Amino acid sequence: MNRANFLKSGTLLSAASLLSTSNAFAQNLTNNGIDKLVDADGNYVLQPLPYNENFLEPYMDAETMHLHYTFHHGGAVKGANKDLQIIKKALDENNLETVDYWTKKLSFHFSSHVLHSIFWTNLTNKKNEPSGELQKRIEKNFGSFDRLKALIAATSKNVDGNGWGIIAYQPYSDSLTVLQCENHEKLTQWGAIPILVIDVWEHAYYLKYKNKRTDFVDALFNIINWDNVAQRLNDALKITK
Ligand code: MN3
């Protein structure tokens, strides 16, 4: 990145962090159904949380939320920007010796940015249930909401090591599908658009739930924002129509 671009993106990033206290900005996390994860220059940006850090208490404690959002999600955004800059520099200098390493890093960091951005909006402190097209498709693809809940819970609880349980819309088969993702980027299906993601990395639960990932996943079902999941499905259908 040259100095002019660096200054420009630095200005945009600080503008974004100044705006992070604005509710209007916080509610405006998507554009035409796509999460806004980059600024106008293509640099990755950490959007504000859509609520206060204590909003999901007692199921998700404020300290975990603070550390998770600031350092794990925030760290992934910083990492993705670094990876991208190094790849661009390698291209500029025509020196591709280590570019495979940075390409892998970018996949890891950017996938973390995508999943965490979705995760925050997937949670709320007002209990609700699937409705509309989401409800119809859950019944069609899984038989019932209870059967889907059992499937996504078992999938999330049993991730080997760090990863995610994911419900996604798969446009190639026009169906909902459940994925068990390792790290942030492994075991996906190409094309799948995540609509509900469950973070089962230890950083997501260890302070409050210690080694009891099962308890954490069960507790999360009290704070899943199925209205957001339904909205995400509608957006995915619109985007891929
Ligand atoms: Mn996480």
Side-chain angles (χ1 to χ4, degrees), residues 83-137:
D83 305 334
L84 191 62
Q85 291 312 318
I86 291 175
I87 293 167
K88 281 182 183 165
K89 190 162 170 261
L91 284 169
D92 289 345
E93 295 173 355
N94 195 24
N95 177 0
L96 305 183
E97 242 172 69
T98 61
V99 87
D100 58 329
Y101 172 81
W102 295 104
T103 303
K104 273 189 266 188
K105 288 299 235 185
L106 179 58
S107 174
F108 177 85
H109 285 135
F110 181 61
S111 297
S112 172
H113 184 25
V114 170
L115 293 178
H116 282 108
S117 299
I118 296 171
F119 184 53
W120 309 130
T121 66
N122 277 161
L123 302 172
T124 184
N125 66 4
K126 284 192 198 101
K127 209 162 177 169
N128 58 58
E129 295 218 329
S131 57
E133 187 66 18
L134 176 65
Q135 186 185 19
K136 273 189 226 158
R137 287 192 177 245

Side-chain angles (χ1 to χ4, degrees), residues 68 116 164 199 203:
H68 195 171
H116 282 108
W164 300 74
D199 190 341
H203 65 233

Side-chain angles (χ1 to χ4, degrees), residues 2 7 10-11 13 18 31 39-40 54 70-71 78 92 111-112 123 140 147 154 159-160 189-190 201 213 218 223 230:
N2 65 36
L7 289 173
T11 308
L13 283 170
L18 281 175
N31 185 18
D39 65 21
N54 63 0
T70 309
F71 298 106
K78 280 186 193 151
D92 289 345
S111 297
S112 172
L123 302 172
K140 186 177 166 198
R147 284 167 53 127
V159 171
D160 287 336
Q189 298 172 1
W190 300 118
W201 279 63
R213 181 195 277 178
D218 289 338
I223 50 172

